[in-house]
Amino acid sequence: MSEYKRKPYGKMLLMGSISIILYAILLIKQDLINHYFGKGGLYAVLPIATAFVFSYIHGTFTSCFWTVMGIDAAKKH
């Protein structure tokens, strides 16, 4: 029995598109973002939350990209 796994083309394209949109918003609206990120207090959570969102979206895209390219992590036996 072969171990055929479908490659995550759709997920890669979705996460790549979301990543591009997030970076575009970050660059286009940087004055507004800097205004809120620099306020302090509870607003100090915004940069941390943003970093987690970017990390998750971009990391998922990168993982799917390498899987589509045929490069997977070595499996320990």
Side-chain angles (χ1 to χ4, degrees):
M1 194 179 273
S2 68
E3 291 186 29
Y4 176 75
K5 285 180 18 178
R6 289 185 53 199
K7 294 188 177 183
Y9 290 104
K11 189 173 183 179
M12 180 190 73
L13 292 173
L14 176 66
M15 291 301 179
S17 298
I18 293 171
S19 186
I20 289 170
I21 291 167
L22 287 175
Y23 280 108
I25 291 170
L26 185 68
L27 293 173
I28 292 168
K29 299 290 187 179
Q30 59 185 308
D31 291 336
L32 180 67
I33 291 168
N34 285 337
H35 170 74
Y36 283 106
F37 282 17
K39 278 186 147 188
L42 288 177
Y43 289 97
V45 174
L46 291 176
I48 297 166
T50 302
F52 279 120
V53 169
F54 272 77
S55 178
Y56 176 77
I57 298 296
H58 189 77
T60 303
F61 162 72
T62 304
S63 175
C64 292
F65 172 80
W66 289 120
T67 301
V68 166
M69 299 305 287
I71 300 171
D72 288 319
K75 294 182 173 125
K76 294 183 180 181
H77 292 282

